PDB file of all heavy atoms in Angstrom:
ATOM      1  N   PRO A  12      81.247 122.410 115.439  1.00  0.00           N
ATOM      2  CA  PRO A  12      79.986 122.587 116.074  1.00  0.00           C
ATOM      3  C   PRO A  12      79.098 123.643 115.406  1.00  0.00           C
ATOM      4  O   PRO A  12      79.600 124.629 114.828  1.00  0.00           O
ATOM      5  CB  PRO A  12      80.362 123.048 117.486  1.00  0.00           C
ATOM      6  CG  PRO A  12      81.677 123.770 117.269  1.00  0.00           C
ATOM      7  CD  PRO A  12      82.355 123.109 116.095  1.00  0.00           C
ATOM      8  N   TYR A  13      77.763 123.421 115.427  1.00  0.00           N
ATOM      9  CA  TYR A  13      76.792 124.374 114.835  1.00  0.00           C
ATOM     10  C   TYR A  13      75.631 124.493 115.843  1.00  0.00           C
ATOM     11  O   TYR A  13      75.213 123.458 116.427  1.00  0.00           O
ATOM     12  CB  TYR A  13      76.269 123.895 113.497  1.00  0.00           C
ATOM     13  CG  TYR A  13      77.373 123.657 112.486  1.00  0.00           C
ATOM     14  CD1 TYR A  13      77.882 122.366 112.306  1.00  0.00           C
ATOM     15  CD2 TYR A  13      77.897 124.726 111.746  1.00  0.00           C
ATOM     16  CE1 TYR A  13      78.865 122.142 111.367  1.00  0.00           C
ATOM     17  CE2 TYR A  13      78.884 124.492 110.807  1.00  0.00           C
ATOM     18  CZ  TYR A  13      79.399 123.235 110.593  1.00  0.00           C
ATOM     19  OH  TYR A  13      80.388 122.968 109.721  1.00  0.00           O
ATOM     20  N   PHE A  14      75.122 125.659 115.984  1.00  0.00           N
ATOM     21  CA  PHE A  14      73.963 125.912 116.849  1.00  0.00           C
ATOM     22  C   PHE A  14      72.890 126.658 115.993  1.00  0.00           C
ATOM     23  O   PHE A  14      73.228 127.507 115.203  1.00  0.00           O
ATOM     24  CB  PHE A  14      74.309 126.847 118.034  1.00  0.00           C
ATOM     25  CG  PHE A  14      75.255 126.232 118.989  1.00  0.00           C
ATOM     26  CD1 PHE A  14      76.630 126.305 118.797  1.00  0.00           C
ATOM     27  CD2 PHE A  14      74.831 125.627 120.162  1.00  0.00           C
ATOM     28  CE1 PHE A  14      77.547 125.784 119.674  1.00  0.00           C
ATOM     29  CE2 PHE A  14      75.679 125.111 121.075  1.00  0.00           C
ATOM     30  CZ  PHE A  14      77.050 125.177 120.844  1.00  0.00           C
ATOM     31  N   SER A  15      71.620 126.367 116.244  1.00  0.00           N
ATOM     32  CA  SER A  15      70.538 127.043 115.472  1.00  0.00           C
ATOM     33  C   SER A  15      70.371 128.483 115.958  1.00  0.00           C
ATOM     34  O   SER A  15      69.747 129.281 115.196  1.00  0.00           O
ATOM     35  CB  SER A  15      69.286 126.258 115.550  1.00  0.00           C
ATOM     36  OG  SER A  15      68.733 126.215 116.899  1.00  0.00           O
ATOM     37  N   ARG A  16      70.832 128.762 117.123  1.00  0.00           N
ATOM     38  CA  ARG A  16      70.656 130.123 117.639  1.00  0.00           C
ATOM     39  C   ARG A  16      71.804 130.411 118.592  1.00  0.00           C
ATOM     40  O   ARG A  16      72.435 129.521 119.170  1.00  0.00           O
ATOM     41  CB  ARG A  16      69.292 130.337 118.322  1.00  0.00           C
ATOM     42  CG  ARG A  16      68.922 129.325 119.299  1.00  0.00           C
ATOM     43  CD  ARG A  16      67.529 129.609 119.893  1.00  0.00           C
ATOM     44  NE  ARG A  16      67.477 130.755 120.730  1.00  0.00           N
ATOM     45  CZ  ARG A  16      67.963 130.820 121.968  1.00  0.00           C
ATOM     46  NH1 ARG A  16      68.541 129.816 122.529  1.00  0.00           N
ATOM     47  NH2 ARG A  16      67.900 131.969 122.648  1.00  0.00           N
ATOM     48  N   THR A  17      72.053 131.723 118.784  1.00  0.00           N
ATOM     49  CA  THR A  17      73.179 132.112 119.635  1.00  0.00           C
ATOM     50  C   THR A  17      72.737 132.701 120.943  1.00  0.00           C
ATOM     51  O   THR A  17      71.778 133.483 121.013  1.00  0.00           O
ATOM     52  CB  THR A  17      74.015 133.210 118.879  1.00  0.00           C
ATOM     53  OG1 THR A  17      74.411 132.635 117.675  1.00  0.00           O
ATOM     54  CG2 THR A  17      75.246 133.626 119.673  1.00  0.00           C
ATOM     55  N   SER A  18      73.373 132.241 122.024  1.00  0.00           N
ATOM     56  CA  SER A  18      73.116 132.759 123.377  1.00  0.00           C
ATOM     57  C   SER A  18      74.283 132.468 124.205  1.00  0.00           C
ATOM     58  O   SER A  18      74.957 131.413 124.021  1.00  0.00           O
ATOM     59  CB  SER A  18      71.854 132.108 123.942  1.00  0.00           C
ATOM     60  OG  SER A  18      71.754 132.406 125.346  1.00  0.00           O
ATOM     61  N   LYS A  19      74.575 133.267 125.216  1.00  0.00           N
ATOM     62  CA  LYS A  19      75.740 132.994 126.048  1.00  0.00           C
ATOM     63  C   LYS A  19      75.510 131.755 126.888  1.00  0.00           C
ATOM     64  O   LYS A  19      76.476 131.121 127.415  1.00  0.00           O
ATOM     65  CB  LYS A  19      75.975 134.205 127.006  1.00  0.00           C
ATOM     66  CG  LYS A  19      74.901 134.438 128.037  1.00  0.00           C
ATOM     67  CD  LYS A  19      75.242 135.597 128.937  1.00  0.00           C
ATOM     68  CE  LYS A  19      74.211 135.871 129.955  1.00  0.00           C
ATOM     69  NZ  LYS A  19      73.889 134.831 130.860  1.00  0.00           N
ATOM     70  N   ASP A  20      74.274 131.222 126.991  1.00  0.00           N
ATOM     71  CA  ASP A  20      73.987 130.060 127.822  1.00  0.00           C
ATOM     72  C   ASP A  20      73.872 128.803 126.975  1.00  0.00           C
ATOM     73  O   ASP A  20      73.627 127.683 127.568  1.00  0.00           O
ATOM     74  CB  ASP A  20      72.712 130.320 128.655  1.00  0.00           C
ATOM     75  CG  ASP A  20      72.909 131.373 129.627  1.00  0.00           C
ATOM     76  OD1 ASP A  20      73.970 131.458 130.259  1.00  0.00           O
ATOM     77  OD2 ASP A  20      71.966 132.154 129.817  1.00  0.00           O
ATOM     78  N   ASN A  21      73.977 128.874 125.688  1.00  0.00           N
ATOM     79  CA  ASN A  21      73.910 127.686 124.813  1.00  0.00           C
ATOM     80  C   ASN A  21      75.287 127.002 124.733  1.00  0.00           C
ATOM     81  O   ASN A  21      76.209 127.583 124.217  1.00  0.00           O
ATOM     82  CB  ASN A  21      73.432 128.019 123.393  1.00  0.00           C
ATOM     83  CG  ASN A  21      71.962 128.413 123.350  1.00  0.00           C
ATOM     84  OD1 ASN A  21      71.280 128.222 124.307  1.00  0.00           O
ATOM     85  ND2 ASN A  21      71.538 129.002 122.229  1.00  0.00           N
ATOM     86  N   GLU A  22      75.379 125.800 125.202  1.00  0.00           N
ATOM     87  CA  GLU A  22      76.660 125.131 125.174  1.00  0.00           C
ATOM     88  C   GLU A  22      76.458 123.701 124.776  1.00  0.00           C
ATOM     89  O   GLU A  22      75.412 123.005 125.094  1.00  0.00           O
ATOM     90  CB  GLU A  22      77.274 125.144 126.621  1.00  0.00           C
ATOM     91  CG  GLU A  22      77.605 126.558 127.035  1.00  0.00           C
ATOM     92  CD  GLU A  22      78.297 126.610 128.379  1.00  0.00           C
ATOM     93  OE1 GLU A  22      78.252 125.609 129.140  1.00  0.00           O
ATOM     94  OE2 GLU A  22      78.887 127.681 128.659  1.00  0.00           O
ATOM     95  N   ALA A  23      77.458 123.162 124.044  1.00  0.00           N
ATOM     96  CA  ALA A  23      77.446 121.751 123.672  1.00  0.00           C
ATOM     97  C   ALA A  23      78.712 121.115 124.182  1.00  0.00           C
ATOM     98  O   ALA A  23      79.803 121.766 124.255  1.00  0.00           O
ATOM     99  CB  ALA A  23      77.428 121.629 122.136  1.00  0.00           C
ATOM    100  N   TYR A  24      78.648 119.847 124.533  1.00  0.00           N
ATOM    101  CA  TYR A  24      79.770 119.135 125.146  1.00  0.00           C
ATOM    102  C   TYR A  24      79.943 117.742 124.430  1.00  0.00           C
ATOM    103  O   TYR A  24      78.974 117.123 124.140  1.00  0.00           O
ATOM    104  CB  TYR A  24      79.551 118.900 126.645  1.00  0.00           C
ATOM    105  CG  TYR A  24      79.152 120.112 127.374  1.00  0.00           C
ATOM    106  CD1 TYR A  24      77.882 120.183 127.961  1.00  0.00           C
ATOM    107  CD2 TYR A  24      79.982 121.208 127.584  1.00  0.00           C
ATOM    108  CE1 TYR A  24      77.476 121.306 128.682  1.00  0.00           C
ATOM    109  CE2 TYR A  24      79.609 122.288 128.304  1.00  0.00           C
ATOM    110  CZ  TYR A  24      78.314 122.372 128.810  1.00  0.00           C
ATOM    111  OH  TYR A  24      77.915 123.462 129.555  1.00  0.00           O
ATOM    112  N   ILE A  25      81.200 117.390 124.228  1.00  0.00           N
ATOM    113  CA  ILE A  25      81.506 116.043 123.701  1.00  0.00           C
ATOM    114  C   ILE A  25      82.209 115.238 124.794  1.00  0.00           C
ATOM    115  O   ILE A  25      83.168 115.758 125.402  1.00  0.00           O
ATOM    116  CB  ILE A  25      82.451 116.143 122.466  1.00  0.00           C
ATOM    117  CG1 ILE A  25      81.848 116.935 121.380  1.00  0.00           C
ATOM    118  CG2 ILE A  25      82.799 114.752 121.989  1.00  0.00           C
ATOM    119  CD1 ILE A  25      80.681 116.310 120.704  1.00  0.00           C
ATOM    120  N   TYR A  26      81.663 114.089 125.061  1.00  0.00           N
ATOM    121  CA  TYR A  26      82.222 113.198 126.115  1.00  0.00           C
ATOM    122  C   TYR A  26      82.729 111.898 125.491  1.00  0.00           C
ATOM    123  O   TYR A  26      82.177 111.391 124.515  1.00  0.00           O
ATOM    124  CB  TYR A  26      81.102 112.800 127.086  1.00  0.00           C
ATOM    125  CG  TYR A  26      80.726 113.869 128.101  1.00  0.00           C
ATOM    126  CD1 TYR A  26      79.761 114.786 127.824  1.00  0.00           C
ATOM    127  CD2 TYR A  26      81.371 113.857 129.349  1.00  0.00           C
ATOM    128  CE1 TYR A  26      79.412 115.778 128.752  1.00  0.00           C
ATOM    129  CE2 TYR A  26      80.993 114.871 130.294  1.00  0.00           C
ATOM    130  CZ  TYR A  26      80.026 115.782 130.009  1.00  0.00           C
ATOM    131  OH  TYR A  26      79.648 116.716 130.888  1.00  0.00           O
ATOM    132  N   MET A  27      83.814 111.360 126.069  1.00  0.00           N
ATOM    133  CA  MET A  27      84.275 110.046 125.876  1.00  0.00           C
ATOM    134  C   MET A  27      84.102 109.337 127.208  1.00  0.00           C
ATOM    135  O   MET A  27      84.780 109.767 128.174  1.00  0.00           O
ATOM    136  CB  MET A  27      85.710 110.006 125.406  1.00  0.00           C
ATOM    137  CG  MET A  27      86.330 108.646 125.286  1.00  0.00           C
ATOM    138  SD  MET A  27      88.061 108.615 124.780  1.00  0.00           S
ATOM    139  CE  MET A  27      88.866 109.247 126.215  1.00  0.00           C
ATOM    140  N   ARG A  28      83.275 108.357 127.285  1.00  0.00           N
ATOM    141  CA  ARG A  28      82.908 107.762 128.556  1.00  0.00           C
ATOM    142  C   ARG A  28      82.294 108.852 129.443  1.00  0.00           C
ATOM    143  O   ARG A  28      81.313 109.422 129.058  1.00  0.00           O
ATOM    144  CB  ARG A  28      84.043 107.003 129.226  1.00  0.00           C
ATOM    145  CG  ARG A  28      84.628 105.864 128.462  1.00  0.00           C
ATOM    146  CD  ARG A  28      85.697 105.178 129.266  1.00  0.00           C
ATOM    147  NE  ARG A  28      86.225 103.992 128.595  1.00  0.00           N
ATOM    148  CZ  ARG A  28      87.425 104.030 128.044  1.00  0.00           C
ATOM    149  NH1 ARG A  28      88.207 105.112 128.100  1.00  0.00           N
ATOM    150  NH2 ARG A  28      87.862 102.916 127.454  1.00  0.00           N
ATOM    151  N   THR A  29      82.926 109.113 130.586  1.00  0.00           N
ATOM    152  CA  THR A  29      82.418 110.207 131.434  1.00  0.00           C
ATOM    153  C   THR A  29      83.336 111.420 131.428  1.00  0.00           C
ATOM    154  O   THR A  29      83.104 112.399 132.123  1.00  0.00           O
ATOM    155  CB  THR A  29      82.275 109.703 132.915  1.00  0.00           C
ATOM    156  OG1 THR A  29      83.623 109.271 133.293  1.00  0.00           O
ATOM    157  CG2 THR A  29      81.355 108.522 133.042  1.00  0.00           C
ATOM    158  N   GLU A  30      84.309 111.436 130.547  1.00  0.00           N
ATOM    159  CA  GLU A  30      85.286 112.494 130.450  1.00  0.00           C
ATOM    160  C   GLU A  30      84.849 113.513 129.374  1.00  0.00           C
ATOM    161  O   GLU A  30      84.678 113.166 128.245  1.00  0.00           O
ATOM    162  CB  GLU A  30      86.666 111.968 130.109  1.00  0.00           C
ATOM    163  CG  GLU A  30      87.704 113.053 129.985  1.00  0.00           C
ATOM    164  CD  GLU A  30      89.052 112.466 129.593  1.00  0.00           C
ATOM    165  OE1 GLU A  30      89.238 111.288 129.426  1.00  0.00           O
ATOM    166  OE2 GLU A  30      90.017 113.252 129.393  1.00  0.00           O
ATOM    167  N   ARG A  31      84.661 114.751 129.790  1.00  0.00           N
ATOM    168  CA  ARG A  31      84.357 115.807 128.838  1.00  0.00           C
ATOM    169  C   ARG A  31      85.612 116.205 128.086  1.00  0.00           C
ATOM    170  O   ARG A  31      86.587 116.683 128.623  1.00  0.00           O
ATOM    171  CB  ARG A  31      83.798 117.026 129.554  1.00  0.00           C
ATOM    172  CG  ARG A  31      83.351 118.182 128.576  1.00  0.00           C
ATOM    173  CD  ARG A  31      82.881 119.362 129.343  1.00  0.00           C
ATOM    174  NE  ARG A  31      81.625 119.134 129.984  1.00  0.00           N
ATOM    175  CZ  ARG A  31      81.020 120.032 130.773  1.00  0.00           C
ATOM    176  NH1 ARG A  31      81.521 121.240 130.961  1.00  0.00           N
ATOM    177  NH2 ARG A  31      79.910 119.736 131.330  1.00  0.00           N
ATOM    178  N   ILE A  32      85.588 115.982 126.762  1.00  0.00           N
ATOM    179  CA  ILE A  32      86.791 116.210 125.943  1.00  0.00           C
ATOM    180  C   ILE A  32      86.711 117.493 125.116  1.00  0.00           C
ATOM    181  O   ILE A  32      87.724 117.995 124.686  1.00  0.00           O
ATOM    182  CB  ILE A  32      87.176 115.012 125.094  1.00  0.00           C
ATOM    183  CG1 ILE A  32      85.986 114.612 124.151  1.00  0.00           C
ATOM    184  CG2 ILE A  32      87.576 113.808 125.887  1.00  0.00           C
ATOM    185  CD1 ILE A  32      86.333 113.528 123.148  1.00  0.00           C
ATOM    186  N   HIS A  33      85.502 118.039 124.921  1.00  0.00           N
ATOM    187  CA  HIS A  33      85.308 119.297 124.224  1.00  0.00           C
ATOM    188  C   HIS A  33      84.128 120.011 124.784  1.00  0.00           C
ATOM    189  O   HIS A  33      83.095 119.389 125.121  1.00  0.00           O
ATOM    190  CB  HIS A  33      85.133 119.099 122.706  1.00  0.00           C
ATOM    191  CG  HIS A  33      86.328 118.632 121.939  1.00  0.00           C
ATOM    192  ND1 HIS A  33      87.363 119.467 121.675  1.00  0.00           N
ATOM    193  CD2 HIS A  33      86.644 117.419 121.445  1.00  0.00           C
ATOM    194  CE1 HIS A  33      88.315 118.813 121.009  1.00  0.00           C
ATOM    195  NE2 HIS A  33      87.892 117.547 120.913  1.00  0.00           N
ATOM    196  N   ALA A  34      84.204 121.329 124.831  1.00  0.00           N
ATOM    197  CA  ALA A  34      83.067 122.166 125.287  1.00  0.00           C
ATOM    198  C   ALA A  34      83.013 123.339 124.340  1.00  0.00           C
ATOM    199  O   ALA A  34      84.033 123.968 124.017  1.00  0.00           O
ATOM    200  CB  ALA A  34      83.291 122.638 126.708  1.00  0.00           C
ATOM    201  N   PHE A  35      81.781 123.709 123.873  1.00  0.00           N
ATOM    202  CA  PHE A  35      81.633 124.804 122.894  1.00  0.00           C
ATOM    203  C   PHE A  35      80.476 125.647 123.442  1.00  0.00           C
ATOM    204  O   PHE A  35      79.447 125.200 123.813  1.00  0.00           O
ATOM    205  CB  PHE A  35      81.215 124.243 121.529  1.00  0.00           C
ATOM    206  CG  PHE A  35      82.197 123.240 120.985  1.00  0.00           C
ATOM    207  CD1 PHE A  35      81.933 121.893 121.093  1.00  0.00           C
ATOM    208  CD2 PHE A  35      83.432 123.644 120.451  1.00  0.00           C
ATOM    209  CE1 PHE A  35      82.882 120.935 120.604  1.00  0.00           C
ATOM    210  CE2 PHE A  35      84.305 122.722 119.967  1.00  0.00           C
ATOM    211  CZ  PHE A  35      84.058 121.395 120.067  1.00  0.00           C
ATOM    212  N   ASN A  36      80.717 127.004 123.314  1.00  0.00           N
ATOM    213  CA  ASN A  36      79.676 127.956 123.611  1.00  0.00           C
ATOM    214  C   ASN A  36      79.255 128.587 122.283  1.00  0.00           C
ATOM    215  O   ASN A  36      80.041 128.903 121.426  1.00  0.00           O
ATOM    216  CB  ASN A  36      80.250 129.081 124.529  1.00  0.00           C
ATOM    217  CG  ASN A  36      79.203 130.088 124.865  1.00  0.00           C
ATOM    218  OD1 ASN A  36      78.920 130.996 124.068  1.00  0.00           O
ATOM    219  ND2 ASN A  36      78.684 130.002 126.097  1.00  0.00           N
ATOM    220  N   SER A  37      77.908 128.782 122.115  1.00  0.00           N
ATOM    221  CA  SER A  37      77.402 129.208 120.802  1.00  0.00           C
ATOM    222  C   SER A  37      77.869 130.637 120.420  1.00  0.00           C
ATOM    223  O   SER A  37      78.038 130.944 119.276  1.00  0.00           O
ATOM    224  CB  SER A  37      75.858 129.158 120.798  1.00  0.00           C
ATOM    225  OG  SER A  37      75.309 130.058 121.723  1.00  0.00           O
ATOM    226  N   LEU A  38      78.148 131.506 121.409  1.00  0.00           N
ATOM    227  CA  LEU A  38      78.679 132.874 121.090  1.00  0.00           C
ATOM    228  C   LEU A  38      80.029 132.781 120.418  1.00  0.00           C
ATOM    229  O   LEU A  38      80.318 133.395 119.450  1.00  0.00           O
ATOM    230  CB  LEU A  38      78.705 133.720 122.319  1.00  0.00           C
ATOM    231  CG  LEU A  38      77.488 134.237 122.873  1.00  0.00           C
ATOM    232  CD1 LEU A  38      77.714 135.023 124.204  1.00  0.00           C
ATOM    233  CD2 LEU A  38      76.703 135.056 121.864  1.00  0.00           C
ATOM    234  N   VAL A  39      80.875 131.917 120.922  1.00  0.00           N
ATOM    235  CA  VAL A  39      82.256 131.768 120.422  1.00  0.00           C
ATOM    236  C   VAL A  39      82.183 131.063 119.065  1.00  0.00           C
ATOM    237  O   VAL A  39      82.834 131.502 118.089  1.00  0.00           O
ATOM    238  CB  VAL A  39      83.130 130.940 121.379  1.00  0.00           C
ATOM    239  CG1 VAL A  39      84.501 130.669 120.811  1.00  0.00           C
ATOM    240  CG2 VAL A  39      83.313 131.688 122.686  1.00  0.00           C
ATOM    241  N   VAL A  40      81.435 129.999 118.994  1.00  0.00           N
ATOM    242  CA  VAL A  40      81.277 129.284 117.711  1.00  0.00           C
ATOM    243  C   VAL A  40      80.737 130.221 116.632  1.00  0.00           C
ATOM    244  O   VAL A  40      81.257 130.223 115.491  1.00  0.00           O
ATOM    245  CB  VAL A  40      80.344 128.047 117.887  1.00  0.00           C
ATOM    246  CG1 VAL A  40      79.953 127.452 116.547  1.00  0.00           C
ATOM    247  CG2 VAL A  40      80.995 127.028 118.759  1.00  0.00           C
ATOM    248  N   ASP A  41      79.745 130.976 116.912  1.00  0.00           N
ATOM    249  CA  ASP A  41      79.097 131.854 115.953  1.00  0.00           C
ATOM    250  C   ASP A  41      80.068 133.013 115.527  1.00  0.00           C
ATOM    251  O   ASP A  41      80.045 133.442 114.409  1.00  0.00           O
ATOM    252  CB  ASP A  41      77.834 132.417 116.478  1.00  0.00           C
ATOM    253  CG  ASP A  41      77.023 133.169 115.310  1.00  0.00           C
ATOM    254  OD1 ASP A  41      76.827 132.500 114.273  1.00  0.00           O
ATOM    255  OD2 ASP A  41      76.651 134.295 115.559  1.00  0.00           O
ATOM    256  N   THR A  42      80.889 133.464 116.475  1.00  0.00           N
ATOM    257  CA  THR A  42      81.794 134.568 116.182  1.00  0.00           C
ATOM    258  C   THR A  42      82.933 134.130 115.257  1.00  0.00           C
ATOM    259  O   THR A  42      83.253 134.804 114.277  1.00  0.00           O
ATOM    260  CB  THR A  42      82.394 135.114 117.497  1.00  0.00           C
ATOM    261  OG1 THR A  42      81.330 135.574 118.297  1.00  0.00           O
ATOM    262  CG2 THR A  42      83.406 136.241 117.206  1.00  0.00           C
ATOM    263  N   TYR A  43      83.539 133.000 115.545  1.00  0.00           N
ATOM    264  CA  TYR A  43      84.722 132.537 114.821  1.00  0.00           C
ATOM    265  C   TYR A  43      84.462 131.675 113.646  1.00  0.00           C
ATOM    266  O   TYR A  43      85.259 131.564 112.710  1.00  0.00           O
ATOM    267  CB  TYR A  43      85.724 131.988 115.739  1.00  0.00           C
ATOM    268  CG  TYR A  43      86.257 132.937 116.780  1.00  0.00           C
ATOM    269  CD1 TYR A  43      85.866 132.925 118.080  1.00  0.00           C
ATOM    270  CD2 TYR A  43      87.110 133.953 116.381  1.00  0.00           C
ATOM    271  CE1 TYR A  43      86.272 133.843 119.028  1.00  0.00           C
ATOM    272  CE2 TYR A  43      87.535 134.905 117.259  1.00  0.00           C
ATOM    273  CZ  TYR A  43      87.188 134.796 118.580  1.00  0.00           C
ATOM    274  OH  TYR A  43      87.636 135.716 119.492  1.00  0.00           O
ATOM    275  N   LYS A  44      83.367 130.918 113.719  1.00  0.00           N
ATOM    276  CA  LYS A  44      82.970 130.051 112.583  1.00  0.00           C
ATOM    277  C   LYS A  44      84.099 129.253 111.985  1.00  0.00           C
ATOM    278  O   LYS A  44      84.441 129.285 110.840  1.00  0.00           O
ATOM    279  CB  LYS A  44      82.308 130.866 111.527  1.00  0.00           C
ATOM    280  CG  LYS A  44      81.047 131.555 111.854  1.00  0.00           C
ATOM    281  CD  LYS A  44      80.455 132.370 110.771  1.00  0.00           C
ATOM    282  CE  LYS A  44      79.156 133.030 110.984  1.00  0.00           C
ATOM    283  NZ  LYS A  44      78.698 133.551 112.141  1.00  0.00           N
ATOM    284  N   ARG A  45      84.755 128.414 112.887  1.00  0.00           N
ATOM    285  CA  ARG A  45      85.912 127.668 112.396  1.00  0.00           C
ATOM    286  C   ARG A  45      85.862 126.257 113.041  1.00  0.00           C
ATOM    287  O   ARG A  45      85.240 126.085 114.087  1.00  0.00           O
ATOM    288  CB  ARG A  45      87.189 128.355 112.763  1.00  0.00           C
ATOM    289  CG  ARG A  45      87.440 128.425 114.269  1.00  0.00           C
ATOM    290  CD  ARG A  45      88.784 129.108 114.592  1.00  0.00           C
ATOM    291  NE  ARG A  45      88.922 129.221 116.006  1.00  0.00           N
ATOM    292  CZ  ARG A  45      89.436 128.295 116.838  1.00  0.00           C
ATOM    293  NH1 ARG A  45      89.776 127.158 116.300  1.00  0.00           N
ATOM    294  NH2 ARG A  45      89.550 128.483 118.097  1.00  0.00           N
ATOM    295  N   PRO A  46      86.498 125.317 112.417  1.00  0.00           N
ATOM    296  CA  PRO A  46      86.620 123.971 112.991  1.00  0.00           C
ATOM    297  C   PRO A  46      87.594 123.988 114.163  1.00  0.00           C
ATOM    298  O   PRO A  46      88.511 124.873 114.201  1.00  0.00           O
ATOM    299  CB  PRO A  46      87.087 123.084 111.862  1.00  0.00           C
ATOM    300  CG  PRO A  46      87.717 123.993 110.896  1.00  0.00           C
ATOM    301  CD  PRO A  46      87.082 125.344 111.057  1.00  0.00           C
ATOM    302  N   TYR A  47      87.493 123.050 115.068  1.00  0.00           N
ATOM    303  CA  TYR A  47      88.462 122.995 116.220  1.00  0.00           C
ATOM    304  C   TYR A  47      89.254 121.716 116.040  1.00  0.00           C
ATOM    305  O   TYR A  47      88.724 120.625 115.950  1.00  0.00           O
ATOM    306  CB  TYR A  47      87.594 122.913 117.514  1.00  0.00           C
ATOM    307  CG  TYR A  47      86.837 124.227 117.772  1.00  0.00           C
ATOM    308  CD1 TYR A  47      85.652 124.466 117.183  1.00  0.00           C
ATOM    309  CD2 TYR A  47      87.400 125.235 118.553  1.00  0.00           C
ATOM    310  CE1 TYR A  47      84.969 125.622 117.360  1.00  0.00           C
ATOM    311  CE2 TYR A  47      86.726 126.405 118.755  1.00  0.00           C
ATOM    312  CZ  TYR A  47      85.540 126.585 118.206  1.00  0.00           C
ATOM    313  OH  TYR A  47      84.859 127.781 118.381  1.00  0.00           O
ATOM    314  N   PRO A  48      90.601 121.864 115.990  1.00  0.00           N
ATOM    315  CA  PRO A  48      91.449 120.685 115.884  1.00  0.00           C
ATOM    316  C   PRO A  48      91.481 119.886 117.195  1.00  0.00           C
ATOM    317  O   PRO A  48      91.196 120.364 118.257  1.00  0.00           O
ATOM    318  CB  PRO A  48      92.844 121.254 115.594  1.00  0.00           C
ATOM    319  CG  PRO A  48      92.773 122.666 116.145  1.00  0.00           C
ATOM    320  CD  PRO A  48      91.355 123.081 116.094  1.00  0.00           C
ATOM    321  N   SER A  49      91.766 118.570 116.997  1.00  0.00           N
ATOM    322  CA  SER A  49      91.778 117.720 118.180  1.00  0.00           C
ATOM    323  C   SER A  49      92.754 116.545 117.854  1.00  0.00           C
ATOM    324  O   SER A  49      93.122 116.311 116.735  1.00  0.00           O
ATOM    325  CB  SER A  49      90.417 117.169 118.440  1.00  0.00           C
ATOM    326  OG  SER A  49      90.411 116.294 119.580  1.00  0.00           O
TER     327      SER A  49
END
């Protein structure tokens, strides 16, 4: 995941059908800068 800006309220979600399978917060993504295995 990548975000153009960081905020505690910026979140991205990946869904399969109606099931949320991944959730990302821009603060965590920007801090660790790593891919997430699945």
Side-chain angles (χ1 to χ4, degrees):
Y13 303 96
F14 295 84
S15 64
R16 50 183 292 285
T17 301
S18 167
K19 68 178 178 60
D20 296 319
N21 290 347
E22 295 181 345
Y24 313 111
I25 301 289
Y26 284 88
M27 174 180 70
R28 295 185 181 105
T29 58
E30 180 183 358
R31 184 182 290 177
I32 57 175
H33 289 286
F35 306 100
N36 180 283
S37 65
L38 286 177
V39 175
V40 168
D41 191 52
T42 300
Y43 295 107
K44 297 180 176 33
R45 65 179 178 85
Y47 295 83
S49 182

